[in-house]
Amino acid sequence: MQKIDLLGCTKEEIKDFVTVKLKEKEYRTKQIVHWIYKKRVTDIINFTDLPAGLRDKLTHLVQIGSLQLISKEISQLDGTTRYNFKTQDNYIVSCVYIPKLERKVVCISTQIGCSVGCVFCHSGKMYFVRNLTTGEIVEQVYAVRKDVGEINGILYMGMGEPLLNYDNVVKSIKIFLDTDMFAMSKRRITVSTVGVVPNIYRLADEKLGVKLAISLHSYNDEQRKWLVKRLKFKLNEILEAGVYYAEVTKTKFTIEYVLIGEINDSEEHAKFLVKLLDKLPKIRKFVKINLIPYNTIPEEKFIQSKLDTIEKFKQILVTNGYLTFIRKPYGNDINAACGQLGF
Ligand code: SF4
């Protein structure tokens, strides 16, 4: 019999399990949640304020986590750490702990492989295997927190397109936000999407208030179709959805733009991007732009943009009134930077 992974359950679901399936009193939920999330104990036998009989029942019916940590690689450059886990069906899932941002942040994966196929991304070169379960998403943060202590930020920017695993991602966000569980602030969670338009609207209407990052990467639809192979939405539809998200959640959304040498990084390209954004007059108020220098991946011949090219690109956006930053890469030497996760 398949055991229930409690790391994939909201508090409500644990309560239903305790009161309906186990026919126990409701306060047992609080005790179980406290052991898992506050005391960070995963061995049910050590839940010492539960009666032995209940601990026994739980041991047979539930598990707390399913991933097995198989390796941990630490960057010599910046301390970024890549955690590699094995799933119960023998796939590898990675997440990245980034200690050098202003906060301690974990970048997590949501799928095994990715079906979108961005040409500059190692995950995009993999075949798509399956969505991660809610438990497998949550456990990445749980494991890192157990290893390094408190975490102050979660980025859904690892392997996979989060909004193509919508239900499991939304449930994991609810678990991260729950004050009895991870108690994360909604503004410290960022969901990144390459632009799954209907699910951007859905996520806005969930009213969870987490931040949104949209990976745009291009200034026109034709080029984007080549860069982001298997996503049909047009740039203006994606940007409109971003503005809707920002209006509903009352927070700016981020545009992520990977700068690839001689592909999308010239001054002319920057001006095209400004033109595209200017078509939505109110967007300036709601957006900030992160420029991400391309990180090399195996079997791909793209080149990195020169530093002065990146700076010029930024200046054009800034001069036109767009709040723009250049994102520093983390964990380059251990294949943990943006676009480098793969198996
Ligand atoms: S960049 Fe994101 S959406 Fe694109 S292939 Fe990589 S993981 Fe998938």
Side-chain angles (χ1 to χ4, degrees):
M1 190 186 61
Q2 180 84 25
K3 289 185 175 181
I4 299 168
D5 183 0
L6 289 188
L7 288 186
C9 297
T10 60
K11 210 165 54 199
E12 269 312 296
E13 287 173 333
I14 297 177
K15 190 189 92 186
D16 286 349
F17 173 74
V18 165
T19 56
V20 180
K21 174 109 183 156
L22 301 180
K23 305 208 181 334
E24 291 282 341
K25 294 268 186 294
E26 196 180 321
Y27 73 90
R28 297 289 184 206
T29 308
K30 215 171 170 192
Q31 289 176 305
I32 293 169
V33 168
H34 193 77
W35 277 108
I36 299 173
Y37 288 99
K38 301 299 170 198
K39 297 199 170 168
R40 299 178 195 178
V41 173
T42 48
D43 195 346
I44 294 164
I45 224 68
N46 294 327
F47 292 8
T48 46
D49 55 1
L50 300 187
L54 176 56
R55 275 184 269 165
D56 229 38
K57 260 196 245 170
L58 284 171
T59 308
H60 285 101
L61 294 173
V62 304
Q63 60 190 46
I64 300 166
S66 65
L67 299 177
Q68 184 195 345
L69 180 65
I70 50 167
S71 61
K72 202 172 121 176
E73 300 156 74
I74 304 175
S75 165
Q76 298 304 309
L77 300 174
D78 52 36
T80 296
T81 307
R82 175 173 171 159
Y83 293 78
N84 299 309
F85 303 94
K86 193 159 82 173
T87 62
Q88 282 184 326
D89 52 353
N90 289 326
Y91 289 100
I92 306 296
V93 171
S94 304
C95 71
V96 180
Y97 167 61
I98 310 164
K100 288 236 168 137
L101 292 170
E102 66 275 19
R103 299 193 270 271
K104 292 176 167 183
V105 169
V106 191
C107 177
I108 56 176
S109 297
T110 53
Q111 297 181 311
I112 299 174
C114 183
S115 58
V116 176
C118 301
V119 291
F120 49 83
C121 170
H122 194 196
S123 311
K125 307 263 171 214
M126 316 268 106
Y127 50 96
F128 172 71
V129 179
R130 66 168 173 84
N131 285 331
L132 292 185
T133 62
T134 306
E136 288 166 335
I137 297 170
V138 169
E139 191 173 355
Q140 295 168 61
V141 181
Y142 192 87
V144 174
R145 193 178 70 160
K146 230 175 163 185
D147 193 34
V148 303
E150 237 24 83
I151 294 296
N152 345 91
I154 297 170
L155 307 172
Y156 285 79
M157 289 188 186
M159 184 188 289
E161 162 54 55
L163 295 190
L164 290 178
N165 184 9
Y166 187 83
D167 293 338
N168 291 345
V169 163
V170 164
K171 210 210 276 194
S172 68
I173 294 171
K174 289 178 181 166
I175 292 169
F176 290 136
L177 293 176
D178 191 309
T179 48
D180 292 326
M181 295 172 134
F182 285 87
M184 291 291 302
S185 148
K186 59 187 178 186
R187 298 299 197 226
R188 300 267 172 99
I189 298 177
T190 303
V191 175
S192 172
T193 176
V194 83
V196 184
V197 169
N199 287 350
I200 294 177
Y201 285 102
R202 273 175 83 190
L203 188 64
D205 295 337
E206 303 273 356
K207 303 270 185 337
L208 295 170
V210 296
K211 287 178 154 177
L212 181 75
I214 294 181
S215 300
L216 211 65
H217 307 322
S218 186
Y219 50 86
N220 75 20
D221 286 311
E222 204 182 315
Q223 189 196 52
R224 192 172 134 105
K225 237 189 268 163
W226 171 69
L227 284 173
V228 179
K229 287 208 172 330
R230 290 184 285 274
L231 206 77
K232 58 179 186 192
F233 302 102
K234 294 212 174 342
L235 288 170
N236 67 324
E237 296 176 284
I238 295 171
L239 291 170
E240 275 170 21
V243 169
Y244 178 82
Y245 191 91
E247 282 181 315
V248 170
T249 56
K250 300 187 178 34
T251 175
K252 283 184 194 298
F253 76 101
T254 308
I255 288 178
E256 309 278 340
Y257 190 104
V258 171
L259 282 167
I260 308 173
E262 294 166 23
I263 301 280
N264 64 355
D265 67 341
S266 70
E267 290 177 54
E268 205 190 6
H269 295 150
K271 288 177 192 157
F272 283 144
L273 180 59
V274 169
K275 232 175 163 175
L276 172 78
L277 298 176
D278 280 351
K279 284 187 191 149
L280 273 173
K282 56 183 171 180
I283 200 169
R284 246 187 216 87
K285 196 169 122 202
F286 291 118
V287 76
K288 78 173 189 183
I289 301 171
N290 270 345
L291 301 176
I292 308 169
Y294 165 69
N295 295 305
T296 49
I297 57 170
E299 296 157 35
E300 194 48 80
K301 292 189 178 56
F302 291 133
I303 53 169
Q304 293 180 309
S305 304
K306 297 196 177 77
L307 283 180
D308 67 322
T309 309
I310 296 174
E311 200 48 55
K312 278 184 198 149
F313 195 99
K314 177 186 166 184
Q315 275 322 313
I316 290 169
L317 294 168
V318 171
T319 313
N320 282 279
Y322 289 101
L323 191 62
T324 306
F325 303 90
I326 298 167
R327 172 121 61 86
K328 181 182 175 317
Y330 289 91
N332 243 323
D333 56 330
I334 54 162
N335 285 336
C338 271
Q340 291 185 318
L341 293 188
F343 56 87

